Amino acid sequence: MMCLALMLTASAIQAKDYGSYYKNMPVAMPAVAAPAIPANTVNIKDFGGVGDGLTLNTEAFSKAISALNKQGGGHLVVPAGIWLSGMISLKDNIDLHLEKNAILLASPDKNLFIKEKDGKKDKKCSPMISASKRKNVSITGEGIIDGNGAYWRPVKRSKVSDTEWKEFKYLGGTETEGGKLWFPFNLKNYGNIADTPEAQEKMRTHLIRITDCENVLVEGVTIQNSPKFHLIPTRCTNVIVDGVTIRCPWNAQNGDALDISSCRNVLIVNNVIDAGDDGICMKGGAGESGVKYGPCENILIENNTVFHAHGGFVIGSEYSGGMKNIVVRDNRFCGTDTGLRFKSGIGRGGKTEGIYISDIYMTDIKDEAIVFDCTYMDKKYSVKEDDGKPGAVAKDAPFAPEFCDIHISNVTCRNVKTAISVTGLPGMNCVHDVTIDNSTFFYTKKDKEIKDNPEITITNTKFVTF
């Protein structure tokens, strides 16, 4: 144990110099530093933890974290094994450290993720790992955090093979819409937590949610198979996500990988993502609540690889609090649906300021390399045409998106259906002061598809097809 403590202390002393990433920045922003974690160390086994894939370790994690908390914080070491658990709540100055071959597995029993207070159960489930209003929180190591998402997620028949469909049906479950949709409801071995498949689906939870925290580090681990989104820092300050692998099936419903929501001073580097929905996504709240929380601000995203995702780098759809000072450079997108994706609509839009994107390399992009879409429209703000379909936007529509002050350069894209697509809103200046420079696109269908008079300047750029 002492040897392990010495190793962890030495590791802390040799922590990365994250300040080195902030060289040659197009916009000024403060450099972040890793959280300071005390050298105290405990092992989950010391608190009754058993990594046999059968024993439930929720209580062991709770006891270990409480013991560290009494010491002022430290490292909770999870060694090799399969550690089945329910909810884990991190506290100040705590590092959850997963050694190589450690698999932290969410229990398939959904009841374990419903909090109860004064005899009343919450209407929604809680994440497996959470931290709220804490300082100096980290999740590190070479282990795996697995959300057991197959026991939570609905599955569309059109998105799986015959073999995969049979595997889902083997679990039990419920088919709806004439066999077009499968829900993990009425499973063979696990009970329900709601009265209907649809109601239970709405209770799906995220895997890791870190809210209103200061000084956060997620480093080295693999995060996979979430019931919903995988890693969600929300309203946090000083966040580092470094060398993390986030993965789930390509067809996982709402399988966002990394959602940064209303955070300030964030560094996202050296990560590998292969997800069912958006890859690296910036969110800023919808409507008045987004304005209250403020913008995503001072974000550096560098040297990441995104394989499957709906978008490699994404802003939206909700960002009413705004986006300010975001630098995205030296990233690779291979096989995403879209590359650079800016999406929003009435009721959830905001304003972007100081967005600089450069040196992006894309291959085999399914739809668009760069896409601006302002038509994620709230139905109550759309004017109906004679045929009942949404038409123009109501003049009093609040929180319209304003994508502006966005500068994209040195993009190389090989094999994309449409290079650049822009859809604004009639009568609104939703996309303006956007530049695309010194880039090359090899497209298979269209070079540009632009609607509603956006103000985009494209210079020194090649569009090539067969």
Side-chain angles (χ1 to χ4, degrees), residues 199-210:
Q200 182 167 282
E201 196 277 333
K202 291 179 180 178
M203 297 179 70
R204 270 196 296 157
T205 184
H206 308 307
L207 185 50
I208 303 174
R209 186 167 62 209
I210 302 172

Side-chain angles (χ1 to χ4, degrees), residues 14-58:
Q14 297 173 8
K16 290 184 180 178
D17 174 19
Y18 286 107
S20 63
Y21 286 98
Y22 292 83
K23 295 178 180 178
N24 302 317
M25 294 286 284
V27 62
M29 66 176 68
V32 296
I37 305 294
N40 306 315
T41 302
V42 301
N43 191 301
I44 190 65
K45 290 182 176 180
D46 297 336
F47 297 87
V50 180
D52 59 1
L54 303 172
T55 304
L56 187 64
N57 292 284
T58 311

Side-chain angles (χ1 to χ4, degrees), residues 372-377 385 391-393 401 403 421-432 449-456:
F372 291 85
D373 185 358
C374 302
T375 60
Y376 273 69
M377 192 180 299
E385 294 181 344
V393 180
F403 290 115
S421 174
V422 185
T423 303
L425 289 171
M428 293 188 177
N429 198 15
C430 292
V431 182
H432 64 92
E449 188 170 18
I450 298 176
K451 303 175 184 177
D452 297 317
N453 302 314
E455 297 176 13
I456 295 183

Side-chain angles (χ1 to χ4, degrees), residues 223-404:
I223 303 168
Q224 65 182 26
N225 291 329
S226 175
K228 205 170 182 180
F229 300 169
H230 287 74
L231 175 58
I232 315 172
T234 302
R235 301 188 301 276
C236 294
T237 304
N238 299 329
V239 177
I240 301 170
V241 182
D242 178 15
V244 171
T245 298
I246 304 177
R247 58 189 296 270
C248 70
W250 72 270
N251 49 18
Q253 294 293 111
N254 309 113
D256 283 28
L258 174 59
D259 284 7
I260 303 296
S261 183
S262 303
C263 294
R264 290 176 173 82
N265 307 340
V266 179
L267 180 64
I268 301 170
V269 290
N270 311 316
N271 303 291
V272 176
I273 288 170
D274 194 341
D277 209 306
D278 286 327
I280 301 171
C281 186
M282 306 290 108
K283 295 183 179 293
E288 294 290 351
S289 62
V291 175
K292 176 184 175 182
Y293 298 142
C296 266
E297 185 174 7
N298 300 329
I299 319 287
L300 175 57
I301 300 168
E302 185 173 323
N303 195 35
N304 302 282
T305 302
V306 182
F307 293 106
H308 187 271
H310 287 184
F313 168 75
V314 182
I315 290 180
S317 62
E318 62 274 22
Y319 76 106
S320 296
M323 298 282 152
K324 187 176 182 180
N325 291 1
I326 298 177
V327 176
V328 184
R329 60 188 186 185
D330 295 302
N331 296 282
R332 298 161 299 284
F333 307 149
C334 304
T336 59
D337 288 354
T338 62
L340 303 172
R341 187 185 193 194
F342 305 87
K343 57 173 183 171
S344 191
I346 298 297
R348 60 182 64 198
K351 184 177 182 180
T352 60
E353 304 173 67
I355 314 298
Y356 294 87
I357 302 172
S358 64
D359 300 294
I360 306 296
Y361 307 95
M362 310 186 203
T363 58
D364 299 322
I365 306 302
K366 177 176 173 286
D367 297 316
E368 303 94 0
I370 301 173
V371 56
F372 291 85
D373 185 358
C374 302
T375 60
Y376 273 69
M377 192 180 299
D378 191 319
K379 293 180 181 178
K380 65 184 178 182
Y381 298 120
S382 61
V383 178
K384 302 295 181 181
E385 294 181 344
D386 292 339
D387 61 1
K389 296 180 180 179
V393 180
K395 292 181 180 179
D396 60 346
F399 301 106
E402 186 179 0
F403 290 115
C404 60

Side-chain angles (χ1 to χ4, degrees), residues 44 49-63 65 76 78 81-90 96 98 103-114 126-130 144-148 152 205 207 227:
I44 190 65
V50 180
D52 59 1
L54 303 172
T55 304
L56 187 64
N57 292 284
T58 311
E59 186 176 355
F61 278 104
S62 179
K63 288 180 178 179
I65 290 169
L76 169 52
V78 182
I82 301 176
W83 305 89
L84 199 66
S85 182
M87 294 181 287
I88 298 171
S89 181
L90 301 178
L96 177 62
L98 278 67
I103 301 175
L104 180 52
L105 181 64
S107 170
D109 183 357
K110 301 179 184 71
N111 286 287
L112 296 177
F113 301 93
I114 302 177
S126 295
M128 182 190 189
I129 300 175
S130 65
I144 295 172
I145 301 170
D146 192 312
N148 235 338
W152 294 81
T205 184
L207 185 50

